[in-house]
Amino acid sequence: MSDFSIPVRVYIEDTDAGGIVYHANYLKFIERARTEFLRAKGFDKAALFDDELMFVVSAMNVKYSHAAKLGEELMVTARVSALARVSMEFEQRVFFRDRELFSASVQIACVDRSTHKPKRIPATLISALAGLSEKES
Amino acid sequence: MSDFSIPVRVYIEDTDAGGIVYHANYLKFIERARTEFLRAKGFDKAALFDDELMFVVSAMNVKYSHAAKLGEELMVTARVSALARVSMEFEQRVFFRDRELFSASVQIACVDRSTHKPKRIPATLISALAGLSEKES
Amino acid sequence: MSDFSIPVRVYIEDTDAGGIVYHANYLKFIERARTEFLRAKGFDKAALFDDELMFVVSAMNVKYSHAAKLGEELMVTARVSALARVSMEFEQRVFFRDRELFSASVQIACVDRSTHKPKRIPATLISALAGLSEKES
Amino acid sequence: MSDFSIPVRVYIEDTDAGGIVYHANYLKFIERARTEFLRAKGFDKAALFDDELMFVVSAMNVKYSHAAKLGEELMVTARVSALARVSMEFEQRVFFRDRELFSASVQIACVDRSTHKPKRIPATLISALAGLSEKES
C-alpha cells in the first residue's frame, strides 16, 4: 500500500448506538485524507476558497466491509485515479491494521464558489497531480 | 412522486463553509427517511436493537446534482427497490421544490448486533415490505 | 410550560457508542429550536445572512440531567430571557415526556458576517422579541 | 501553557455556512483532548466501556471568544481541575497560535454503563490523576 495515507483515531463523536462508527462518518474520514493529500501537494482548501474555487463531491460509490470501533486507529488512504479539466476521481480506503473496512470511489468537481458552475482545475494543481500520476505509473 | 417522503429542514448544523449542505449530511437525511419509512410500517429502530438485530449500510451509490442551502425545506424520499433474506435495497432522493438535488441507491444488511454476522430480516418486516411492493407494482 | 417548543426525533446519527444521544448534539437540538422560534417571529437565518448579519453563540451554561435515547421524540424549548442591543440570552430545555433531560442558558451575539464585530440587532427583531417579552410578563 | 494538549486541524466537516467552526464542534475538539489525556495516563475509553463504566458530561460552562476557521491548526488543552469519588472537572482551552478562541469548564460524571447511576472512578485512575495534580502543584 503505497498510497498517500493519514491515521484517524475513532472518537466517541464518530460512533453511534450500534457501538460502531456511524456510516456517514467514513465520508468525513476520507475527505480529511483528500484534504491532507492536497495540502501535501501544496494546495490548501482555504486558499482555493479565496480563489473563488471549491471542490465538491459529485458522485460516490462506497462499500462497507467491516465496522470500525471506538478507540481504533484507522489508516485512511487517498489516490487520484483519474484527472480531467474540471473533475477528478479519488480511490480511497479505510483500514484497521491489515483489514480493509471501507472503500470508495469519489468523483470531485471543481466549481465556482458563487455560481457552482464547473470551473477549470488550476493548472498548477493539474501539473502537481499529473506529475504524481506519471511518477506512480 | 408517490414514494414515502419526509420533510427535512436545513439548519446551520447541516451546512459547511462552502455555504451549502455538507456532502456527508445527505446520508443522514436519507437515513432519517428510511427510519420513518420503517416506523410507518410499524418497525422501530430501537425495538429492532432490542431484538439483537441491526440494519447496517453495506454499500451506496450516490449522486449529487445540486446543492441544498441553509433554511431550505427539502423533501426526502425512500422506496424499497429490492428485498432479499438478509438484505434490502432502497432508492432515495432529495428534492428542493421540483428540483432533484441528490439520489442514492442504498444496500442495507440485516446483522446480529453483537457478532455483525448476517441475520434474516424478521418475517413480519418482510411481509410488511413485500405487501408494499406488490401493492406498488 | 408555555415556552416556544419543537419536537425533535432522536435518530441513529444523534447517538454514540454509549447508546445515548452524544452530548454535543443537544447543542444542535436547541439551536434548531432557536431557529424555529425566530422563523415563527418572521426572521429567517438565511435572510439575516443576506443582510451581512450573523448570530453567534458567545457563551453557554449547560446541564445534563438524564440521557435521551434512540427513537425518542423530545420536546425542545426556547425562550428569550434577556435582550440587549447587540446580544440576547435564551433559556432552553429538552424534555422527554415530563422529564427534563437538559437545560441551557445561551448567550447570543449579533455580529457582522465579515468582520465578526458586534452589530446592532435589527430594530424589527428587537420589537418582535420585546413585544413578546411584554406579552409574556 | 504546560497543560496537556493536542493539535486539531479544522476540516470542512467542522465548519458551517458562517464560514467558521460550527459552535457545537468545539465540544468534540475538547473531548478528543480529554480522551487523549486519559489515554496518555494509560486509560482507554473503549477499555472503560468494557468495565461497564462510562464517563458522561454532566455540566459545562463555555465561552467563545474568537472563531476558528477552515484549515487552521488549533491547539486544544485539557487539565484536571477537581477530582472527587464519582466525578471530575476539566479546564480546557482552544488556541489558534497565541490567541485563545474558546474555554470550557467541564464536569464529568462516572456512571454505570447500563443503569447510568453514579459509580466510583476506578482507584487506578484516581491515583494516576491525583499523582498528576501533586506533580503539577
Side-chain angles (χ1 to χ4, degrees):
Chain A
M1 182 181 74
S2 64
D3 290 351
F4 176 87
S5 71
I6 61 165
V8 168
R9 176 72 68 176
V10 176
Y11 292 110
I12 188 90
E13 69 186 83
D14 302 311
T15 61
D16 67 27
I20 55 180
V21 168
Y22 179 61
H23 78 281
N25 289 339
Y26 291 88
L27 273 58
K28 296 184 177 179
F29 296 169
I30 61 174
E31 185 175 61
R32 292 180 202 172
R34 291 196 304 273
T35 302
E36 294 301 342
F37 170 85
L38 290 176
R39 191 195 313 283
K41 299 283 144 209
F43 294 87
D44 189 76
K45 256 193 192 187
L48 290 167
F49 262 48
D50 290 343
D51 289 344
E52 287 306 307
L53 286 183
M54 203 161 68
F55 285 121
V56 296
V57 176
S58 57
M60 248 184 326
N61 214 317
V62 307
K63 187 159 176 278
Y64 299 83
S65 307
H66 297 284
K69 300 206 185 90
L70 185 64
E72 291 179 353
E73 191 180 71
L74 311 176
M75 193 55 66
V76 184
T77 74
R79 183 173 64 84
V80 176
S81 50
L83 189 56
R85 291 203 316 181
V86 298
S87 69
M88 51 185 165
E89 187 187 66
F90 279 89
E91 291 299 325
Q92 304 200 254
R93 290 171 179 187
V94 176
F95 292 89
F96 177 57
R97 292 174 187 155
D98 290 339
R99 196 185 218 186
E100 184 179 307
L101 309 182
F102 173 88
S103 64
S105 173
V106 186
Q107 308 293 327
I108 303 285
C110 184
V111 300
D112 182 275
R113 203 186 160 183
S114 312
T115 65
H116 293 189
K117 295 247 168 82
K119 219 169 161 176
R120 279 200 176 202
I121 298 174
T124 47
L125 178 52
I126 292 276
S127 22
L129 297 179
L132 176 83
S133 292
E134 282 169 31
K135 209 171 62 190
E136 282 184 349
S137 62
Chain B
M1 181 180 77
S2 64
D3 291 351
F4 176 87
S5 71
I6 61 165
V8 168
R9 176 71 71 176
V10 176
Y11 292 110
I12 189 91
E13 68 186 82
D14 302 311
T15 61
D16 68 25
I20 55 180
V21 168
Y22 180 60
H23 78 282
N25 289 339
Y26 291 88
L27 274 57
K28 297 184 178 180
F29 296 169
I30 62 174
E31 185 175 60
R32 292 180 201 172
R34 291 196 304 272
T35 302
E36 294 302 341
F37 170 84
L38 290 175
R39 191 195 313 281
K41 299 281 145 213
F43 295 86
D44 189 77
K45 255 194 193 184
L48 291 166
F49 262 49
D50 291 342
D51 290 344
E52 287 305 307
L53 286 183
M54 203 162 64
F55 285 120
V56 296
V57 176
S58 57
M60 249 185 323
N61 214 316
V62 307
K63 185 157 175 280
Y64 299 83
S65 306
H66 296 284
K69 300 206 184 88
L70 185 63
E72 291 179 351
E73 191 181 68
L74 310 176
M75 194 55 66
V76 184
T77 75
R79 183 173 64 83
V80 175
S81 50
L83 188 57
R85 291 203 317 181
V86 298
S87 68
M88 50 185 165
E89 187 186 66
F90 279 88
E91 291 299 324
Q92 303 199 252
R93 289 170 180 187
V94 177
F95 292 89
F96 177 57
R97 293 173 187 158
D98 292 338
R99 196 186 219 184
E100 184 180 307
L101 308 183
F102 174 88
S103 63
S105 173
V106 185
Q107 308 292 328
I108 303 285
C110 184
V111 301
D112 182 275
R113 202 186 161 183
S114 310
T115 64
H116 293 189
K117 294 246 168 82
K119 219 169 162 176
R120 278 200 177 202
I121 297 174
T124 47
L125 179 52
I126 292 277
S127 25
L129 297 179
L132 176 83
S133 290
E134 282 168 31
K135 210 172 62 190
E136 283 184 348
S137 62
Chain C
M1 181 180 77
S2 64
D3 290 353
F4 176 87
S5 71
I6 61 166
V8 168
R9 175 73 68 177
V10 176
Y11 292 111
I12 188 90
E13 68 185 82
D14 303 310
T15 60
D16 67 27
I20 55 179
V21 168
Y22 179 60
H23 79 281
N25 289 340
Y26 291 88
L27 273 57
K28 297 184 178 181
F29 296 169
I30 60 173
E31 184 176 61
R32 292 181 201 171
R34 291 196 302 273
T35 302
E36 295 301 341
F37 170 84
L38 290 176
R39 191 194 314 282
K41 298 282 144 212
F43 294 87
D44 189 76
K45 256 195 192 183
L48 292 167
F49 262 49
D50 290 342
D51 289 344
E52 287 304 308
L53 285 184
M54 203 161 67
F55 285 121
V56 297
V57 176
S58 57
M60 249 185 324
N61 215 316
V62 307
K63 184 156 177 281
Y64 299 82
S65 306
H66 297 285
K69 300 205 184 89
L70 186 62
E72 291 179 351
E73 191 178 70
L74 310 177
M75 193 55 66
V76 184
T77 74
R79 183 173 64 84
V80 175
S81 50
L83 189 57
R85 293 203 316 182
V86 298
S87 69
M88 50 187 166
E89 187 187 64
F90 280 89
E91 291 299 324
Q92 303 199 251
R93 290 171 179 187
V94 177
F95 292 89
F96 177 57
R97 292 171 188 159
D98 291 339
R99 195 186 219 186
E100 185 179 308
L101 308 183
F102 173 87
S103 64
S105 173
V106 185
Q107 308 292 328
I108 302 286
C110 183
V111 300
D112 182 276
R113 202 186 160 183
S114 312
T115 63
H116 295 189
K117 294 247 168 81
K119 219 169 160 175
R120 279 200 176 201
I121 297 174
T124 47
L125 179 52
I126 292 275
S127 21
L129 297 179
L132 176 82
S133 291
E134 281 168 32
K135 211 172 60 191
E136 283 184 347
S137 61
Chain D
M1 182 181 74
S2 63
D3 290 351
F4 176 87
S5 71
I6 61 165
V8 168
R9 176 72 68 177
V10 176
Y11 292 110
I12 188 90
E13 68 186 82
D14 302 311
T15 61
D16 68 26
I20 54 179
V21 168
Y22 180 60
H23 78 282
N25 289 339
Y26 291 87
L27 273 57
K28 297 184 176 180
F29 296 169
I30 60 173
E31 184 175 61
R32 293 181 200 171
R34 290 195 304 273
T35 301
E36 295 301 341
F37 170 85
L38 290 176
R39 190 194 314 283
K41 299 283 144 210
F43 295 87
D44 189 76
K45 255 193 193 186
L48 291 167
F49 262 48
D50 291 342
D51 290 343
E52 287 305 306
L53 284 184
M54 203 162 65
F55 286 120
V56 296
V57 175
S58 57
M60 249 184 324
N61 214 316
V62 307
K63 185 157 177 279
Y64 299 83
S65 306
H66 297 284
K69 300 206 185 89
L70 185 63
E72 291 179 352
E73 190 179 71
L74 310 177
M75 194 55 67
V76 184
T77 74
R79 183 172 64 83
V80 176
S81 50
L83 189 56
R85 292 202 318 182
V86 298
S87 69
M88 51 186 164
E89 186 186 67
F90 279 89
E91 291 298 325
Q92 304 200 252
R93 289 171 180 188
V94 176
F95 292 88
F96 177 57
R97 293 175 185 155
D98 291 339
R99 196 186 218 185
E100 184 179 308
L101 308 183
F102 174 88
S103 63
S105 173
V106 185
Q107 308 293 327
I108 303 285
C110 183
V111 301
D112 181 275
R113 203 188 160 181
S114 311
T115 64
H116 294 189
K117 295 247 168 82
K119 221 169 160 175
R120 278 199 177 203
I121 298 174
T124 47
L125 179 52
I126 293 276
S127 24
L129 297 179
L132 177 81
S133 292
E134 281 169 31
K135 209 171 64 193
E136 283 184 348
S137 61

